[in-house]
């Protein structure tokens, strides 16, 4: 077992590139890649009215209740993935921890502001996972059943 410290220099961490650090832990070499990612501390919108559940509900009712054209969950998750997940390998392929995804689901159904805050400290794969779960649990697909033939016709699949 070893112990080490890294002096974090704010000027160095402000760079957009990854910073390589090597630590010696009693003869064991540990190589780290660090990069600072700035984040907003407050959501870009304010909640109006009581929070309602979003998972398993029709997307039309969600956007009507939230007064937006895109559900807050989709907006927040996409912004978080764009902010700190675009360089991650397999961002939508690799699963996040099931407990993290489940806790985010519970929070988004109860308190979207708390969910937004918690999302910023969780692994980015859990954030991508909650977005995938939301889309999977929609009662009707985004490409709706009545319009499916029109979609397939438009892209040339018969």
């Amino acid at each position: 077992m070893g112990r080490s410290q890294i002096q974090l220099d704010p000027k160095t961490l402000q760079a957009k590139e990854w910073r390589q650090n090597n630590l010696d832990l009693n003869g064991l070499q540990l190589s780290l890649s660090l990069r600072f990612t700035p984040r907003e501390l407050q959501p870009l919108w304010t909640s109006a009215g009581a929070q309602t559940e979003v998972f398993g509900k029709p997307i039309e009712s969600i956007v009507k209740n939230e007064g937006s054209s895109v559900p807050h969950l989709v907006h927040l998750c996409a912004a978080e993935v764009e902010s700190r997940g675009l360089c991650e390998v397999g961002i939508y392929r690799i699963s996040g921890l099931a407990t993290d995804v489940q806790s985010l689901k519970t929070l988004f159904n109860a308190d979207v502001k708390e969910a937004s805050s918690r999302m910023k400290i969780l692994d980015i794969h859990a954030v991508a996972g909650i977005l995938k779960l939301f889309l999977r649990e929609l009662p009707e697909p985004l490409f709706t059943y009545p319009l499916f033939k029109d979609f397939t016709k438009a892209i040339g699949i018969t």
Side-chain angles (χ1 to χ4, degrees):
M1 183 170 204
R3 191 176 223 182
S4 185
Q5 288 184 333
I6 300 174
Q7 182 64 35
L8 298 177
D9 177 19
K11 291 177 186 173
T12 307
L13 290 177
Q14 294 297 327
K16 300 267 186 203
E17 305 87 35
W18 288 92
R19 180 177 167 212
Q20 187 75 24
N21 285 324
N22 294 307
L23 301 175
D24 182 28
L25 301 173
N26 294 336
L28 178 67
Q29 291 294 319
L30 177 65
S31 180
L32 300 173
S33 296
L34 302 173
R35 179 179 67 180
F36 175 73
T37 305
R39 298 185 208 160
E40 293 182 31
L41 296 178
Q42 297 297 320
L44 299 175
W45 49 270
T46 57
S47 177
Q51 174 72 27
T52 59
E53 290 188 6
V54 293
F55 282 86
K57 305 292 182 197
I59 201 161
E60 301 88 13
S61 67
I62 296 169
V63 295
K64 183 179 176 185
N65 287 341
E66 294 178 350
S68 65
S69 59
V70 176
H72 293 318
L73 181 145
V74 173
H75 173 74
L76 291 169
C77 289
E80 193 67 21
V81 168
E82 188 175 320
S83 150
R84 62 185 177 106
L86 292 181
C87 294
E88 286 289 325
V89 175
I91 186 62
Y92 289 105
R93 182 180 48 82
I94 298 172
S95 299
L97 287 174
T99 53
D100 289 346
V101 173
Q102 189 59 43
S103 71
L104 274 178
K105 178 181 178 180
T106 302
L107 280 174
F108 269 112
N109 276 332
D111 183 357
V112 72
K113 286 186 179 183
E114 178 62 29
S116 175
S117 296
R118 176 82 55 88
M119 193 172 54
K120 295 180 183 314
I121 62 171
L122 291 177
D123 178 59
I124 194 63
H125 295 286
V127 175
I130 198 68
L131 179 57
K132 292 189 308 186
L133 180 64
F134 172 77
L135 295 173
R136 233 183 353 261
E137 290 189 2
L138 286 173
E140 186 174 50
L142 291 178
F143 294 102
T144 61
Y145 297 122
L147 296 175
F148 185 74
K149 283 188 178 186
D150 294 335
F151 290 132
T152 57
K153 189 176 179 181
I155 61 172
I157 300 174
T158 56

